[in-house]
Amino acid sequence: MLGIIRQRAAGKLHHALSLEQGIGAVGLRAFSSSAKQMTVRDALNSALDEEMSADPKVFMMGEEVGEYQGAYKITKGLLDKYGPERVLDTPITEAGFTGIGVGAAYHGLRPVIEFMTFNFSMQAIDHIINSAAKSNYMSSGQISVPIVFRGPNGAASGVGAQHSQCYAAWFGACPGLKVLAPYSSEDARGLLKAAIRDPDPVVFLENELLYGESFPVSAEVLDSSFCLPIGKAKIEREGKDVTITAYSKMVGYSLQAADILAKEGINAEVINLRSIRPLDRSTINASVRKTNRLVTVEEGFPQHGVGAEICATVFEDSFEYLDAPVERIAGADVPTPYAANLERSAFPQVDDIVRAAKRACYRSR
């Protein structure tokens, strides 16, 4: 069986290489020049390397993860270090190698399955939902499925409707899965380590436009024992006037919006969700009870989205604290356009977040 999954993929998808530089509009914060900088790409690569070194049961599998060193170079150097038995190139058959990974997890290994884009995970959704997510419950806890499904999620740039979808709400609706969406290098490194060590299946939603972005990291983050708790959000910026929740790339946009709002006397609190499932309801509600206003931001579709779930939990737990209607900022409810001008209009921009926060604070003009 291993001989089959080591076959080289019949073709390669090279569109990702043009996006290596990432985006400049992610809203990086100002930090001391003495802080060490690390790209999200390097954070993911180092987390994989350290977890593979620490646990021989961890292995990588996916299209082009070995010889090509990953479509986005996340697995760079791992084949040379760990060999083809633990860094497995596969054919273009997501249903096949995802099923093999789930079976390996049943038998105590810890596979990390890479999708070249989460849009391709649709080919393997039966294994993710019906096998990985439900087996522990259906076996009365006798079967653990310690597997990570990772790869780029959401919109990139100019890749059309079939390669631009956000799957946070899709997988976040499924009991049995844990769903993570990192923003910074600290997030990427700490959450991926947590995902690999977790006894349950984890869907790890990266963003390819963040791969090349650099963030400051502390000595603690660089320590091989560093790990972030699953299910815990991070307050990226404290504030008192309005709460803004976001995940992945939208955290950067929200921080930019907060800077603009501050110049107009609105002190916004920005929450980086980090974890979609489980959702850190306590942090969100505590913030709303302080600011009395809420703006949710996401790239995904508005109907049945992550923002809708956040609004529901705030209505259920903190309704009496709200001084204004909640605002939901999301992607347009249409398949992603290919034309650059229409594509930009289909996803939230910084100005959209600023206007929503002003409406919540009754400051719109």
Side-chain angles (χ1 to χ4, degrees):
M1 182 169 65
L2 287 178
I4 295 174
I5 61 176
R6 281 200 296 263
Q7 292 177 10
R8 293 305 310 279
K12 297 181 178 180
L13 302 177
H14 296 294
H15 71 270
L17 297 180
S18 63
L19 298 172
E20 170 139 350
Q21 73 274 16
I23 56 173
V26 188
L28 295 178
R29 315 297 295 152
F31 293 93
S32 168
S33 60
S34 62
K36 178 176 174 58
Q37 298 284 317
M38 174 179 274
T39 65
V40 171
R41 176 182 291 108
D42 288 342
L44 294 167
N45 177 266
S46 64
L48 286 168
D49 184 11
E50 290 172 11
E51 293 306 300
M52 291 181 73
S53 177
D55 187 348
K57 296 190 295 295
V58 178
F59 69 96
M60 277 292 308
M61 184 161 54
E63 297 158 4
E64 300 185 339
V65 299
E67 295 289 344
Y68 195 64
Q69 304 195 72
Y72 303 91
K73 300 300 179 276
I74 304 301
T75 55
K76 184 177 181 180
L78 299 184
L79 175 63
D80 292 339
K81 186 170 183 179
Y82 298 104
E85 294 294 324
R86 296 182 65 195
V87 183
L88 301 161
D89 277 323
T90 70
I92 301 178
T93 170
E94 283 79 11
F97 65 75
T98 303
I100 291 170
V102 173
Y106 283 170
H107 287 275
L109 298 180
R110 292 183 173 272
V112 179
I113 305 299
E114 177 177 304
F115 296 119
M116 198 174 289
T117 162
F118 257 95
N119 297 274
F120 299 160
S121 72
M122 293 295 93
Q123 304 295 322
I125 197 161
D126 182 57
H127 294 299
I128 299 171
I129 301 299
N130 281 330
S131 297
K134 297 176 181 176
S135 290
N136 184 263
Y137 172 80
M138 295 180 71
S139 68
S140 297
Q142 296 179 77
I143 299 176
S144 292
V145 192
I147 187 170
V148 177
F149 307 102
R150 55 154 296 271
N153 169 70
S157 178
V159 293
Q162 293 175 326
H163 296 77
S164 300
Q165 191 157 310
C166 175
Y167 287 91
W170 282 61
F171 292 116
C174 181
L177 291 177
K178 295 175 181 176
V179 183
L180 307 178
Y183 160 62
S184 65
S185 299
E186 176 181 320
D187 292 354
R189 187 169 156 79
L191 291 175
L192 185 54
K193 282 174 164 285
I196 293 171
R197 298 174 190 180
D198 200 87
D200 298 315
V202 179
V203 172
F204 197 85
L205 302 172
E206 302 156 12
N207 187 289
E208 66 182 88
L209 296 181
L210 288 175
Y211 284 148
E213 291 294 324
S214 293
F215 294 84
V217 289
S218 65
E220 178 189 7
V221 172
L222 294 174
D223 191 274
S224 61
S225 65
F226 177 71
C227 191
L228 288 173
I230 292 176
K232 183 63 179 174
K234 178 185 180 183
I235 298 177
E236 296 281 352
R237 174 180 179 138
E238 293 190 357
K240 61 181 178 62
D241 296 327
V242 59
T243 296
I244 303 175
T245 64
Y247 60 92
S248 191
K249 187 176 69 173
M250 289 296 105
V251 176
Y253 281 27
S254 298
L255 290 169
Q256 275 195 304
D259 286 340
I260 295 171
L261 291 165
K263 295 175 182 177
E264 302 190 30
I266 298 174
N267 189 358
E269 181 151 292
V270 178
I271 298 178
N272 172 7
L273 295 176
R274 284 182 168 171
S275 179
I276 305 301
R277 185 183 186 102
L279 188 65
D280 188 356
R281 289 172 167 80
S282 61
T283 294
I284 295 168
N285 278 286
S287 178
V288 170
R289 293 181 182 196
K290 176 176 65 172
T291 67
N292 310 116
R293 294 169 174 84
L294 172 65
V295 177
T296 69
V297 186
E298 63 184 311
E299 280 189 306
F301 299 132
Q303 185 162 324
H304 307 137
V306 175
E309 175 65 21
I310 292 172
C311 291
T313 192
V314 168
F315 283 166
E316 290 165 356
D317 298 336
S318 303
F319 178 76
E320 66 272 24
Y321 290 87
L322 289 171
D323 287 342
V326 298
E327 296 278 348
R328 277 196 300 156
I329 304 299
D333 199 20
V334 297
T336 302
Y338 177 75
N341 58 331
L342 296 179
E343 180 185 60
R344 187 180 190 280
S345 299
F347 294 106
Q349 304 298 322
V350 173
D351 288 345
D352 298 321
I353 305 170
V354 170
R355 286 193 292 269
K358 286 183 176 180
R359 287 194 300 268
C361 296
Y362 301 111
R363 295 277 296 276
S364 59
R365 291 193 286 268

